[in-house]
Amino acid sequence: MSDNCETNGFKGERPIEDDPLFFWRLNDDFKLPDAAILITGNDPSKTEIQYNENEGYAHYNSDGSYMRAQKRDYEGFEAVFGALKSAIRRGTLQAKLTYQGGVAAHGATRGKNFRVVAAHDFWHLIRETSDNPFAKFEDVEIEVDVDWDETTVDADDLKRWLRSKGFTGGFFFPNQETFGGDDFLDAGHEHFSSELALAVNAWRALLPERKFRGGVRAAIDAWIVANPDVWQGDEPLSGSAKERITTLVNWNKSGGAPKSGG
């Protein structure tokens, strides 16, 4: 290839040919449907023609072109999309929740004129506030339901959540060869150890962190408590098992005041 060759700003190479999802890696956060599609190994930029479900005819834009929407009928998409929403509701995955809002102009029907973005359940925050800041605006209406299509998750938060589920391959972990994690994380493996699996997931989840208030051991213990669904033992996680796992994961055996990086 000529040294003068330039494709999308990358001289001398065409990264998109080797990795169709190459430019998606530039994102620091992702809309929830895009994240779900990427986790399933597909391209969020692909679209498909919209059809009337009952009659089977295509929908058209005013200029005569086909109406298109993001392609989502990938294997596993609904399961992953649902898991992401569930994790956000449970608080195990941080997100910027989006709510659609509208303002009625002179009594007209409210349209979707603006969005409200919140780090937590917006309406729960409003209910906890003694003085509703929107009460005096009679023409303002904010939808109760979260707009999941516009809700975003931070890439690093998403990776931490995926690690906690044993996913360490695919788009978000390009240097890993396997998508479903290591054999020792497979609950169906004949040598599966639930304590080892939880220990590895905890270690991986805390890997990106650099500072630990209260110390490393406290952070490990707090993560285990906050992620009960990661435990895959036949019986509930006992105090002695949690103690063994915390001791195993703890890389700061000396204790004392926490330093940068633990």
Short mmCIF file of all heavy atoms in Angstrom, two decimals, residues 27-72:
data_model
loop_
_atom_site.label_atom_id
_atom_site.label_comp_id
_atom_site.label_asym_id
_atom_site.label_seq_id
_atom_site.Cartn_x
_atom_site.Cartn_y
_atom_site.Cartn_z
N ASN A 27 -15.58 5.81 21.20
CA ASN A 27 -16.61 6.30 22.12
C ASN A 27 -16.21 6.11 23.58
O ASN A 27 -15.71 5.05 23.96
CB ASN A 27 -17.93 5.57 21.87
CG ASN A 27 -18.61 6.04 20.59
OD1 ASN A 27 -19.31 7.04 20.59
ND2 ASN A 27 -18.39 5.32 19.51
N ASP A 28 -16.49 7.13 24.38
CA ASP A 28 -16.30 7.03 25.83
C ASP A 28 -17.58 6.58 26.52
O ASP A 28 -17.55 6.13 27.66
CB ASP A 28 -15.86 8.38 26.41
CG ASP A 28 -14.45 8.75 25.95
OD1 ASP A 28 -13.60 7.85 25.86
OD2 ASP A 28 -14.22 9.94 25.67
N ASP A 29 -18.71 6.76 25.85
CA ASP A 29 -19.96 6.22 26.37
C ASP A 29 -20.82 5.77 25.18
O ASP A 29 -20.55 6.12 24.03
CB ASP A 29 -20.71 7.24 27.25
CG ASP A 29 -20.90 8.58 26.56
OD1 ASP A 29 -21.02 8.61 25.31
OD2 ASP A 29 -20.96 9.61 27.25
N PHE A 30 -21.83 4.98 25.50
CA PHE A 30 -22.64 4.36 24.45
C PHE A 30 -24.12 4.45 24.80
O PHE A 30 -24.50 4.29 25.97
CB PHE A 30 -22.27 2.88 24.28
CG PHE A 30 -20.86 2.64 23.82
CD1 PHE A 30 -19.82 2.58 24.73
CD2 PHE A 30 -20.58 2.48 22.47
CE1 PHE A 30 -18.52 2.37 24.31
CE2 PHE A 30 -19.28 2.26 22.04
CZ PHE A 30 -18.25 2.20 22.96
N LYS A 31 -24.94 4.69 23.78
CA LYS A 31 -26.37 4.53 23.98
C LYS A 31 -26.65 3.06 24.26
O LYS A 31 -25.96 2.18 23.74
CB LYS A 31 -27.15 4.99 22.75
CG LYS A 31 -27.11 6.50 22.53
CD LYS A 31 -27.96 6.90 21.34
CE LYS A 31 -27.96 8.41 21.17
NZ LYS A 31 -28.79 8.84 20.01
N LEU A 32 -27.66 2.81 25.07
CA LEU A 32 -27.91 1.44 25.53
C LEU A 32 -28.13 0.44 24.39
O LEU A 32 -27.56 -0.65 24.42
CB LEU A 32 -29.10 1.44 26.50
CG LEU A 32 -28.97 0.46 27.68
CD1 LEU A 32 -27.73 0.78 28.50
CD2 LEU A 32 -30.21 0.51 28.55
N PRO A 33 -28.94 0.77 23.37
CA PRO A 33 -29.10 -0.20 22.27
C PRO A 33 -27.79 -0.46 21.54
O PRO A 33 -27.52 -1.60 21.14
CB PRO A 33 -30.13 0.48 21.35
CG PRO A 33 -30.83 1.47 22.21
CD PRO A 33 -29.80 1.96 23.18
N ASP A 34 -26.97 0.58 21.36
CA ASP A 34 -25.68 0.40 20.70
C ASP A 34 -24.79 -0.54 21.50
O ASP A 34 -24.12 -1.42 20.95
CB ASP A 34 -24.98 1.74 20.52
CG ASP A 34 -25.71 2.68 19.57
OD1 ASP A 34 -26.59 2.19 18.82
OD2 ASP A 34 -25.42 3.89 19.58
N ALA A 35 -24.78 -0.34 22.82
CA ALA A 35 -23.97 -1.21 23.69
C ALA A 35 -24.43 -2.66 23.58
O ALA A 35 -23.60 -3.58 23.48
CB ALA A 35 -24.06 -0.73 25.14
N ALA A 36 -25.74 -2.87 23.58
CA ALA A 36 -26.27 -4.24 23.49
C ALA A 36 -25.89 -4.89 22.17
O ALA A 36 -25.51 -6.07 22.12
CB ALA A 36 -27.79 -4.22 23.65
N ILE A 37 -25.97 -4.13 21.09
CA ILE A 37 -25.61 -4.67 19.77
C ILE A 37 -24.13 -5.00 19.71
O ILE A 37 -23.72 -6.05 19.19
CB ILE A 37 -26.00 -3.67 18.66
CG1 ILE A 37 -27.53 -3.57 18.56
CG2 ILE A 37 -25.42 -4.09 17.32
CD1 ILE A 37 -28.02 -2.47 17.64
N LEU A 38 -23.30 -4.13 20.26
CA LEU A 38 -21.85 -4.38 20.26
C LEU A 38 -21.50 -5.59 21.11
O LEU A 38 -20.61 -6.37 20.75
CB LEU A 38 -21.12 -3.14 20.77
CG LEU A 38 -21.11 -1.94 19.82
CD1 LEU A 38 -20.67 -0.67 20.54
CD2 LEU A 38 -20.20 -2.21 18.62
N ILE A 39 -22.18 -5.77 22.23
CA ILE A 39 -21.92 -6.94 23.08
C ILE A 39 -22.24 -8.23 22.33
O ILE A 39 -21.56 -9.24 22.50
CB ILE A 39 -22.73 -6.84 24.39
CG1 ILE A 39 -22.18 -5.72 25.27
CG2 ILE A 39 -22.70 -8.17 25.16
CD1 ILE A 39 -23.04 -5.40 26.47
N THR A 40 -23.27 -8.19 21.47
CA THR A 40 -23.61 -9.38 20.69
C THR A 40 -22.69 -9.56 19.49
O THR A 40 -22.86 -10.52 18.72
CB THR A 40 -25.07 -9.33 20.20
OG1 THR A 40 -25.23 -8.22 19.29
CG2 THR A 40 -26.04 -9.19 21.36
N GLY A 41 -21.75 -8.62 19.30
CA GLY A 41 -20.79 -8.76 18.21
C GLY A 41 -21.23 -8.20 16.89
O GLY A 41 -20.69 -8.57 15.84
N ASN A 42 -22.20 -7.27 16.92
CA ASN A 42 -22.73 -6.72 15.68
C ASN A 42 -22.51 -5.21 15.60
O ASN A 42 -22.02 -4.59 16.54
CB ASN A 42 -24.21 -7.07 15.56
CG ASN A 42 -24.43 -8.57 15.41
OD1 ASN A 42 -24.12 -9.15 14.38
ND2 ASN A 42 -24.93 -9.21 16.46
N ASP A 43 -22.88 -4.63 14.46
CA ASP A 43 -22.60 -3.23 14.15
C ASP A 43 -23.85 -2.37 14.36
O ASP A 43 -24.84 -2.53 13.65
CB ASP A 43 -22.13 -3.12 12.70
CG ASP A 43 -21.66 -1.73 12.34
OD1 ASP A 43 -21.85 -0.80 13.15
OD2 ASP A 43 -21.09 -1.56 11.24
N PRO A 44 -23.82 -1.43 15.33
CA PRO A 44 -24.98 -0.58 15.59
C PRO A 44 -25.34 0.37 14.45
O PRO A 44 -26.44 0.92 14.43
CB PRO A 44 -24.56 0.22 16.84
CG PRO A 44 -23.46 -0.58 17.45
CD PRO A 44 -22.74 -1.20 16.29
N SER A 45 -24.42 0.58 13.52
CA SER A 45 -24.69 1.52 12.44
C SER A 45 -25.54 0.92 11.32
O SER A 45 -26.02 1.64 10.44
CB SER A 45 -23.37 2.04 11.85
OG SER A 45 -22.64 0.98 11.26
N LYS A 46 -25.77 -0.38 11.35
CA LYS A 46 -26.57 -1.01 10.30
C LYS A 46 -28.05 -0.71 10.51
O LYS A 46 -28.55 -0.74 11.63
CB LYS A 46 -26.33 -2.52 10.29
CG LYS A 46 -24.94 -2.90 9.78
CD LYS A 46 -24.79 -4.40 9.62
CE LYS A 46 -23.43 -4.75 9.02
NZ LYS A 46 -23.27 -6.21 8.83
N THR A 47 -28.74 -0.44 9.40
CA THR A 47 -30.17 -0.12 9.45
C THR A 47 -30.95 -1.07 8.56
O THR A 47 -30.37 -1.81 7.76
CB THR A 47 -30.43 1.33 9.00
OG1 THR A 47 -29.99 1.48 7.64
CG2 THR A 47 -29.69 2.31 9.89
N GLU A 48 -32.27 -1.03 8.69
CA GLU A 48 -33.13 -1.85 7.84
C GLU A 48 -34.40 -1.08 7.53
O GLU A 48 -34.81 -0.17 8.27
CB GLU A 48 -33.47 -3.17 8.52
CG GLU A 48 -34.14 -3.04 9.87
CD GLU A 48 -34.32 -4.38 10.56
OE1 GLU A 48 -33.90 -5.41 9.99
OE2 GLU A 48 -34.88 -4.39 11.67
N ILE A 49 -35.02 -1.41 6.41
CA ILE A 49 -36.24 -0.74 5.97
C ILE A 49 -37.38 -1.07 6.93
O ILE A 49 -37.52 -2.20 7.38
CB ILE A 49 -36.60 -1.17 4.53
CG1 ILE A 49 -35.50 -0.74 3.57
CG2 ILE A 49 -37.94 -0.57 4.11
CD1 ILE A 49 -35.68 -1.29 2.16
N GLN A 50 -38.19 -0.06 7.23
CA GLN A 50 -39.33 -0.24 8.12
C GLN A 50 -40.57 -0.65 7.34
O GLN A 50 -40.92 -0.03 6.34
CB GLN A 50 -39.60 1.06 8.89
CG GLN A 50 -38.46 1.47 9.80
CD GLN A 50 -38.20 0.42 10.86
OE1 GLN A 50 -38.98 0.25 11.80
NE2 GLN A 50 -37.10 -0.30 10.72
N TYR A 51 -41.24 -1.70 7.82
CA TYR A 51 -42.44 -2.21 7.16
C TYR A 51 -43.62 -2.15 8.12
O TYR A 51 -43.47 -2.23 9.34
CB TYR A 51 -42.23 -3.66 6.71
CG TYR A 51 -41.27 -3.82 5.56
CD1 TYR A 51 -39.91 -4.03 5.80
CD2 TYR A 51 -41.72 -3.77 4.24
CE1 TYR A 51 -39.02 -4.19 4.74
CE2 TYR A 51 -40.83 -3.92 3.18
CZ TYR A 51 -39.49 -4.13 3.44
OH TYR A 51 -38.61 -4.27 2.40
N ASN A 52 -44.81 -2.04 7.54
CA ASN A 52 -46.03 -2.15 8.32
C ASN A 52 -46.18 -3.61 8.74
O ASN A 52 -46.20 -4.51 7.89
CB ASN A 52 -47.23 -1.71 7.48
CG ASN A 52 -48.54 -1.80 8.25
OD1 ASN A 52 -49.03 -2.90 8.51
ND2 ASN A 52 -49.09 -0.66 8.60
N GLU A 53 -46.25 -3.86 10.03
CA GLU A 53 -46.25 -5.24 10.52
C GLU A 53 -47.47 -6.03 10.05
O GLU A 53 -47.39 -7.24 9.84
CB GLU A 53 -46.19 -5.24 12.05
CG GLU A 53 -44.88 -4.70 12.61
CD GLU A 53 -44.83 -4.78 14.12
OE1 GLU A 53 -45.81 -5.28 14.71
OE2 GLU A 53 -43.82 -4.35 14.70
N ASN A 54 -48.60 -5.35 9.89
CA ASN A 54 -49.84 -6.06 9.52
C ASN A 54 -49.98 -6.23 8.01
O ASN A 54 -50.36 -7.30 7.53
CB ASN A 54 -51.05 -5.31 10.07
CG ASN A 54 -51.06 -5.28 11.59
OD1 ASN A 54 -50.68 -6.25 12.24
ND2 ASN A 54 -51.47 -4.16 12.16
N GLU A 55 -49.69 -5.16 7.27
CA GLU A 55 -49.90 -5.19 5.82
C GLU A 55 -48.66 -5.61 5.04
O GLU A 55 -48.77 -6.07 3.90
CB GLU A 55 -50.36 -3.80 5.34
CG GLU A 55 -51.63 -3.30 6.03
CD GLU A 55 -52.83 -4.19 5.73
OE1 GLU A 55 -52.85 -4.80 4.64
OE2 GLU A 55 -53.73 -4.27 6.58
N GLY A 56 -47.49 -5.41 5.63
CA GLY A 56 -46.27 -5.84 4.96
C GLY A 56 -45.68 -4.86 3.98
O GLY A 56 -44.69 -5.16 3.31
N TYR A 57 -46.26 -3.65 3.86
CA TYR A 57 -45.69 -2.68 2.92
C TYR A 57 -44.69 -1.78 3.64
O TYR A 57 -44.72 -1.61 4.85
CB TYR A 57 -46.79 -1.84 2.27
CG TYR A 57 -47.66 -1.07 3.24
CD1 TYR A 57 -47.24 0.14 3.79
CD2 TYR A 57 -48.92 -1.54 3.59
CE1 TYR A 57 -48.03 0.85 4.68
CE2 TYR A 57 -49.73 -0.85 4.49
CZ TYR A 57 -49.27 0.35 5.02
OH TYR A 57 -50.06 1.03 5.91
N ALA A 58 -43.77 -1.22 2.85
CA ALA A 58 -42.71 -0.39 3.41
C ALA A 58 -43.21 1.02 3.72
O ALA A 58 -44.15 1.51 3.09
CB ALA A 58 -41.54 -0.31 2.43
N HIS A 59 -42.57 1.65 4.69
CA HIS A 59 -42.87 3.05 5.02
C HIS A 59 -41.89 3.95 4.26
O HIS A 59 -40.72 3.59 4.06
CB HIS A 59 -42.72 3.29 6.52
CG HIS A 59 -43.76 2.60 7.34
ND1 HIS A 59 -45.07 2.98 7.36
CD2 HIS A 59 -43.68 1.53 8.18
CE1 HIS A 59 -45.77 2.20 8.17
NE2 HIS A 59 -44.93 1.29 8.67
N TYR A 60 -42.39 5.11 3.84
CA TYR A 60 -41.57 6.03 3.06
C TYR A 60 -41.46 7.39 3.74
O TYR A 60 -42.37 7.82 4.45
CB TYR A 60 -42.16 6.23 1.66
CG TYR A 60 -42.16 4.97 0.81
CD1 TYR A 60 -43.22 4.08 0.87
CD2 TYR A 60 -41.09 4.69 -0.03
CE1 TYR A 60 -43.23 2.92 0.10
CE2 TYR A 60 -41.09 3.53 -0.81
CZ TYR A 60 -42.16 2.65 -0.74
OH TYR A 60 -42.15 1.51 -1.50
N ASN A 61 -40.33 8.06 3.49
CA ASN A 61 -40.16 9.44 3.93
C ASN A 61 -40.84 10.37 2.94
O ASN A 61 -41.26 9.95 1.86
CB ASN A 61 -38.67 9.77 4.04
CG ASN A 61 -37.97 8.95 5.10
OD1 ASN A 61 -38.39 8.94 6.25
ND2 ASN A 61 -36.90 8.27 4.71
N SER A 62 -40.93 11.65 3.31
CA SER A 62 -41.59 12.63 2.44
C SER A 62 -40.88 12.79 1.10
O SER A 62 -41.49 13.19 0.11
CB SER A 62 -41.68 13.98 3.15
OG SER A 62 -40.38 14.43 3.53
N ASP A 63 -39.58 12.46 1.07
CA ASP A 63 -38.83 12.59 -0.19
C ASP A 63 -38.90 11.33 -1.04
O ASP A 63 -38.25 11.22 -2.08
CB ASP A 63 -37.37 12.95 0.09
CG ASP A 63 -36.64 11.88 0.89
OD1 ASP A 63 -37.27 10.85 1.24
OD2 ASP A 63 -35.44 12.07 1.19
N GLY A 64 -39.69 10.35 -0.59
CA GLY A 64 -39.86 9.13 -1.36
C GLY A 64 -38.90 8.01 -1.01
O GLY A 64 -39.04 6.89 -1.51
N SER A 65 -37.93 8.29 -0.16
CA SER A 65 -36.97 7.26 0.24
C SER A 65 -37.57 6.36 1.32
O SER A 65 -38.52 6.74 2.01
CB SER A 65 -35.68 7.90 0.76
OG SER A 65 -35.95 8.69 1.91
N TYR A 66 -37.02 5.17 1.44
CA TYR A 66 -37.49 4.25 2.46
C TYR A 66 -37.17 4.78 3.86
O TYR A 66 -36.10 5.35 4.09
CB TYR A 66 -36.82 2.88 2.32
CG TYR A 66 -37.31 2.06 1.14
CD1 TYR A 66 -36.43 1.69 0.13
CD2 TYR A 66 -38.63 1.63 1.06
CE1 TYR A 66 -36.86 0.93 -0.94
CE2 TYR A 66 -39.08 0.86 0.00
CZ TYR A 66 -38.19 0.52 -1.00
OH TYR A 66 -38.62 -0.23 -2.05
N MET A 67 -38.10 4.58 4.79
CA MET A 67 -37.81 4.87 6.19
C MET A 67 -36.98 3.71 6.74
O MET A 67 -37.33 2.55 6.55
CB MET A 67 -39.10 5.02 7.00
CG MET A 67 -39.92 6.24 6.65
SD MET A 67 -41.40 6.40 7.68
CE MET A 67 -40.66 6.68 9.28
N ARG A 68 -35.89 4.06 7.40
CA ARG A 68 -34.99 3.04 7.93
C ARG A 68 -34.80 3.25 9.43
O ARG A 68 -34.92 4.37 9.93
CB ARG A 68 -33.64 3.07 7.21
CG ARG A 68 -33.72 2.97 5.69
CD ARG A 68 -32.34 2.88 5.08
NE ARG A 68 -31.70 1.61 5.37
CZ ARG A 68 -31.81 0.53 4.60
NH1 ARG A 68 -32.55 0.56 3.50
NH2 ARG A 68 -31.19 -0.59 4.92
N ALA A 69 -34.53 2.17 10.13
CA ALA A 69 -34.27 2.24 11.57
C ALA A 69 -33.15 1.26 11.90
O ALA A 69 -32.81 0.39 11.09
CB ALA A 69 -35.53 1.89 12.37
N GLN A 70 -32.59 1.43 13.07
CA GLN A 70 -31.47 0.58 13.49
C GLN A 70 -31.88 -0.89 13.47
O GLN A 70 -32.94 -1.27 13.96
CB GLN A 70 -31.02 0.97 14.89
CG GLN A 70 -29.79 0.24 15.38
CD GLN A 70 -29.37 0.71 16.77
OE1 GLN A 70 -30.16 0.68 17.71
NE2 GLN A 70 -28.13 1.15 16.89
N LYS A 71 -31.03 -1.72 12.91
CA LYS A 71 -31.27 -3.16 12.88
C LYS A 71 -30.98 -3.74 14.26
O LYS A 71 -29.90 -3.52 14.81
CB LYS A 71 -30.37 -3.83 11.83
CG LYS A 71 -30.52 -5.34 11.74
CD LYS A 71 -29.64 -5.89 10.63
CE LYS A 71 -29.61 -7.42 10.64
NZ LYS A 71 -30.95 -8.01 10.45
N ARG A 72 -31.97 -4.45 14.82
CA ARG A 72 -31.80 -4.99 16.17
C ARG A 72 -32.18 -6.46 16.29
O ARG A 72 -32.10 -7.01 17.40
CB ARG A 72 -32.64 -4.18 17.17
CG ARG A 72 -32.23 -2.72 17.28
CD ARG A 72 -33.02 -2.00 18.36
NE ARG A 72 -32.65 -0.60 18.45
CZ ARG A 72 -33.18 0.26 19.30
NH1 ARG A 72 -34.12 -0.16 20.15
NH2 ARG A 72 -32.79 1.52 19.33
#
